[in-house]
Amino acid sequence: AAFEGRFEAEGGVTVLIGPNGSGKTTLVHLIAGVLTIARVKGRVSVLGANPYRDHWVKKYIALARQHPNTFDAFYPVRSVLRLYAALKGEDPDAVDEVLEKLGLSSCMHPSIKAVNLSFGMKRKLEVAKLMLSRSARVFLLDELIGLDQPTVRLVLDFLRAKTEEGACVVVVTHEPRHLQLLGGRVVVLKSGKVLRVVESWRELREFLERNLYEVTIVAEGGDPRVLEGVAGVERVTVEGGPRYVLRVRCKIAAINDLVKALMGTGARIHRVEYDEISPLFEP
C-alpha cells in the first residue's frame, strides 16, 4: 500500500491503526528509511535529517518489522544480533541478557539460525533488535501479532520507559486493547491517507461511545422485533429463519441491552459480532 500526505510525531507514543492496505507498514518503513528510494517522493525528516541521504541518523532509529527480515536467516542468531548491536554502537555483550529476557536462551547456541525458528520466535528476534537499540531516539514497532502476552508486556514496558527518556515511539496495531495499554495519540489511516487524529485514550473512548456500530447477531427463536424499541438503536434488519441473522446499527452502550432484550423473548443467541474500533474508519 502507498502512503500520501503529512505525518508528524514527536516525543511520546503514536499508535497507527487502519484497515489492511491503509499504508501503516509503508509509513513505518518510510520513517525508518528502508523503502526503495525510487518509491519515495516528497520530504522525510527524522531528528532533522533525511534517512535516505544522511545515513548516520539510522543509528538512532530502531525498527521491529512485522515480517522478520530474511537476509540474516541463515547465520547464527546470536552472531547476527551481536553484529546488529555493534553497528548501532551498542554493547554486543548485551545480546545474551536480551535473549534471556525474551525466553530465547536456546538461541545463544551457535547452531541456532533464524530460518529454523517459528514465526513467533522470529518476531521476538525483531523485538530483541528494539531492546538492543538503547541509544535510539525513534522506535518503530510494526504490529504486535505473533507475540505472546508476556512479550507484549515486556516490549510495551520497554517502549514506555523510552518515552520517559524523551524518545519517539510509533506502534502499528489492530488490537483495541493495545490502544489503552499504549496510551498516547492515535493516528487513523485509510486508503493511504491520515483520516483522523485522536489525541488521547479518553478522547478515543468518547469518540467511540458517541458513534454507531454495525452489529451482527445470529440467533433463533424469540421475537427480534423487540430490538426496535431498545435505546441507541438506529436500524434493525432480519435475514433468514428459523435461525436468523440480525444486522443492527447502534451505539456501543446498547449492545448488551440488545442481547438481554432478545433473550427476554426466549431467543437463543449463537453469536454476536462487531468491530470495536470500526467507527474510526468512517468519514
Side-chain angles (χ1 to χ4, degrees), residues 65-220:
R65 298 172 183 260
Q66 178 179 350
H67 300 289
N69 208 344
T70 56
F71 82 93
D72 52 12
F74 295 94
Y75 294 90
V77 166
R78 186 169 180 266
S79 298
V80 170
L81 289 177
R82 286 181 64 86
L83 175 60
Y84 175 86
L87 291 172
K88 287 288 186 180
E90 305 290 353
D91 181 8
D93 290 337
V95 167
D96 291 354
E97 176 191 348
V98 169
L99 287 174
E100 190 170 343
K101 283 184 177 179
L102 290 168
L104 296 174
S105 298
S106 62
C107 291
M108 297 179 194
H109 195 280
S111 67
I112 302 299
K113 301 173 183 178
V115 69
N116 298 319
L117 301 180
S118 67
F119 176 74
M121 293 180 77
K122 289 176 183 176
R123 289 287 287 137
K124 284 188 176 185
L125 293 181
E126 291 295 309
V127 170
K129 291 178 180 179
L130 282 188
M131 297 179 68
L132 286 168
S133 305
R134 297 173 180 177
S135 301
R137 307 307 302 151
V138 178
F139 292 85
L140 308 169
L141 175 55
D142 189 4
E143 267 296 356
L144 292 158
I145 58 172
L147 298 174
D148 54 39
Q149 287 309 303
T151 303
V152 170
R153 287 194 295 271
L154 181 67
V155 69
L156 294 186
D157 287 346
F158 171 81
L159 293 175
R160 274 193 293 265
K162 285 299 176 183
T163 63
E164 291 173 2
E165 297 173 7
C168 174
V169 172
V170 179
V171 179
V172 173
T173 184
H174 287 89
E175 290 285 345
R177 59 194 172 89
H178 293 153
L179 300 179
Q180 185 173 9
L181 289 172
L182 286 160
R185 67 175 187 150
V186 177
V187 176
V188 183
L189 301 182
K190 187 175 182 180
S191 302
K193 297 182 179 180
V194 175
L195 180 62
R196 61 172 46 89
V197 178
V198 185
E199 294 296 340
S200 67
W201 166 249
R202 179 178 177 179
E203 184 180 330
L204 174 65
R205 186 177 58 193
E206 291 173 351
F207 176 89
L208 294 175
E209 286 175 352
R210 67 175 179 264
N211 281 275
L212 297 171
Y213 287 76
E214 296 290 342
V215 182
T216 299
I217 302 174
V218 179
E220 60 182 299

Side-chain angles (χ1 to χ4, degrees), residues 34 45 63 77 99 101 118 150 255 271:
V34 298
S45 178
L63 168 66
V77 166
L99 287 174
K101 283 184 177 179
S118 67
I255 295 175
R271 191 169 70 249

